[in-house]
């Protein structure tokens, strides 16, 4: 496993099977090097609180465009990406408090960019899966979660980061959700 992140050296896992590579997801040269020998990419981009509140947000779309191009050039076919409930056609599925208060005040600019991110992925030539978890918690992996692919079923909820990671890793070899959100 190769972890490519701005702060890869701070990943609190020490395992000889984990290679930590520091770099910026918008740097195509660094990404091309990180993709060498890779079979799949799990893309989990994020911004900090101050970025959410104070700055224009383009990280999701800019980095995804660079990653998709680098993957296509390197013939890496599988992209598993995390956006979130509220991106794309799931906007408005978070419940009244989420949709009326939390989303417009804190998340709208980020999710406008995540909409572009999802469009870039859908238009790519890659084999893709987009995961849209609800509120992320620090709980343990339980394996007790539902995968909701039908818009009528989408709703707000919480899930541990560990359970999201479990789902993402399963998608490396599982074709059941290819081309789906």
């Amino acid at each position: 496993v190769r972890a490519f992140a701005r702060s890869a050296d701070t990943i609190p896992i020490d395992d000889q099977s984990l290679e930590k590579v520091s770099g910026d997801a918008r740097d195509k040269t660094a990404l091309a090097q990180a993709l060498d020998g890779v079979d799949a990419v799990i893309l989990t981009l994020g911004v900090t609180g101050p970025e959410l509140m104070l700055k224009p947000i383009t990280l999701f779309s800019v980095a995804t465009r660079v990653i998709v191009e680098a993957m296509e050039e390197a013939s890496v076919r599988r992209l598993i990406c995390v956006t979130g409930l509220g991106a794309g056609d799931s906007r408005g599925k978070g419940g009244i408090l989420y949709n009326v208060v939390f989303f417009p005040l804190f998340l709208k600019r980020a999710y406008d960019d995540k909409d572009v991110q999802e469009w870039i992925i859908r238009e790519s030539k890659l084999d893709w899966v987009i995961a849209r978890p609800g509120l992320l918690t620090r709980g343990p992996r339980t394996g007790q979660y539902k995968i909701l692919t039908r818009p009528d079923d989408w709703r707000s909820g919480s899930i541990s980061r560990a359970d999201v990671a479990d789902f993402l890793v399963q998608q490396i070899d599982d074709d059941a959700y290819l081309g789906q959100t």
Side-chain angles (χ1 to χ4, degrees):
V1 174
R2 182 173 300 138
F4 181 87
R6 288 179 287 190
S7 55
D9 56 332
T10 66
I11 295 171
I13 300 170
D14 289 316
D15 187 300
Q16 65 185 31
S17 299
L18 176 63
E19 178 186 353
K20 300 175 190 179
V21 178
S22 291
D24 189 312
R26 297 165 290 193
D27 179 345
K28 190 171 180 180
T29 302
L31 276 170
Q33 292 171 351
L35 287 172
D36 186 41
V38 167
D39 296 317
V41 171
I42 296 176
L43 178 59
T44 59
L45 297 168
V47 293
T48 63
E51 289 174 295
L52 278 173
M53 306 287 269
L54 303 172
K55 297 179 179 179
I57 297 172
T58 59
L59 171 69
F60 303 106
S61 60
V62 171
T64 299
R65 187 173 314 280
V66 172
I67 290 165
V68 165
E69 288 174 7
M71 288 178 67
E72 288 175 346
E73 289 173 12
S75 298
V76 177
R77 301 281 316 148
R78 182 69 54 115
L79 175 62
I80 303 136
C81 181
V82 176
T83 59
L85 184 66
D89 57 353
S90 72
R91 189 161 292 190
K93 298 290 188 173
I96 190 79
L97 184 62
Y98 184 82
N99 296 338
V100 175
V101 178
F102 192 69
F103 190 87
L105 289 177
F106 301 107
L107 299 176
K108 184 179 182 327
R109 290 182 311 116
Y111 276 71
D112 286 347
D113 196 43
K114 287 181 183 219
D115 290 349
V116 177
Q117 176 186 32
E118 287 195 5
W119 179 84
I120 292 166
I121 292 168
R122 289 173 181 271
E123 293 297 311
S124 75
K125 298 172 186 156
L126 303 176
D127 298 332
W128 57 266
V129 175
I130 297 173
R132 295 177 176 156
L135 178 66
L136 297 173
T137 69
R138 295 186 187 275
R141 184 185 73 78
T142 66
Q144 303 297 311
Y145 52 87
K146 293 181 181 176
I147 295 127
L148 306 173
T149 58
R150 293 174 359 123
D152 290 344
D153 295 335
W154 295 339
R155 61 185 181 279
S156 183
S158 61
I159 185 169
S160 71
R161 286 173 174 82
D163 275 336
V164 173
D166 181 68
F167 172 77
L168 298 173
V169 169
Q170 288 181 34
Q171 301 320 296
I172 293 170
D173 295 318
D174 187 348
D175 292 346
Y177 300 105
L178 277 184
Q180 296 185 59
T181 55

